[in-house]
Amino acid sequence: PVTAAAELRGVRLVHVVPGGQASGWVCGRDFALAGSPARASLSSEERLRLDGEIFARLGDIYITFGGGPATARQATIAASGGACILPVARTGGASSGMFGFPAGARDTCAALAGEELLRPLGGAGGAEGGSSVEEAAEAVASAVLRLLDARRAALQKQQTAMARWQAVRTNLRALCKMTAAGRRGGSGGGHFSAVQAVGPEEAAWEEEKEFE
């Protein structure tokens, strides 16, 4: 396993593993999380819990199979961070809604990927609706692709909004300087407001984003 991110350049498949462990997969490369003196002093159970919480904060999309209370806890952490959680409910356990698994996780995925696509994965209580394992596997792969597209579109939308916000903020700063200069010059007719300059809609949008 490698521990330096620079060594992963060009690698398309990365397996994140705890320090000192290996994934066992032939394809891709392992990336081992660095250990620390504090982690070394923990019990094996405490280390397992800590590693799970770290992994729950790394990804954008998680697929869960079965699982117990730890899986439900990690899914809750991941969901609270904005990740998409795709539970294969037909495998039972936490993925079927037990142990406090986040109730809205599947609904969020269904809204982005489509309810019909997720049907082979099972619904509440793990009911699989007569779908084969092959159909479920294909549904998982297709759902992940759709979720990735949705995440990419959301990121692009956010980047566009940020670019617009930066442009508006730059213009407003320039306008404020011009207004201040006009006031110092004593030119009564030279004073104007940002609303007058960029319009009420742009000014209101800028103010709303500023307070966010």
Side-chain angles (χ1 to χ4, degrees):
V2 300
T3 56
E7 298 181 56
L8 296 175
R9 288 174 184 161
V11 179
R12 297 177 59 86
L13 180 61
V14 179
H15 311 291
V16 182
V17 296
Q21 297 187 24
S23 68
W25 290 98
V26 177
C27 298
R29 293 195 67 180
D30 287 357
F31 180 80
L33 296 177
S36 67
R39 184 180 184 279
S41 66
L42 300 176
S43 66
S44 58
E45 183 177 345
E46 290 172 329
R47 284 198 297 270
L48 185 63
R49 181 187 180 98
L50 176 61
D51 291 341
E53 292 180 356
I54 292 174
F55 291 141
R57 291 179 168 88
L58 295 178
D60 291 316
I61 300 173
Y62 292 86
I63 307 169
T64 66
F65 299 88
T71 298
R73 182 174 60 254
Q74 292 163 16
T76 299
I77 294 172
S80 66
C84 291
I85 315 297
L86 181 60
V88 183
R90 62 187 288 160
T91 59
S95 297
S96 67
M98 298 175 63
F99 309 112
F101 193 89
R106 187 186 184 283
D107 293 339
T108 299
C109 289
L112 296 172
E115 175 61 39
E116 187 66 26
L117 180 60
L118 300 189
R119 192 157 294 165
L121 307 186
E128 57 190 74
S131 300
S132 67
V133 173
E134 290 75 13
E135 289 173 325
E138 184 176 348
V140 169
S142 298
V144 168
L145 289 177
R146 291 193 186 182
L147 292 174
L148 284 172
D149 287 340
R151 301 286 288 190
R152 189 177 298 111
L155 179 59
Q156 291 174 343
K157 183 177 180 181
Q158 182 183 30
Q159 291 174 336
T160 299
M162 286 299 298
R164 184 185 178 195
W165 152 242
Q166 291 292 347
V168 170
R169 186 171 64 174
T170 299
N171 290 337
L172 287 178
R173 283 179 174 174
L175 290 171
C176 288
K177 290 180 180 179
M178 293 170 64
T179 301
R183 288 174 176 170
R184 288 194 298 271
S187 166
H191 174 64
F192 54 91
S193 68
V195 172
Q196 292 172 325
V198 300
E201 182 178 348
E202 286 290 315
W205 185 90
E206 184 276 342
E207 182 179 356
E208 179 182 348
K209 291 299 180 183
E210 178 70 23
F211 282 99
E212 286 182 359

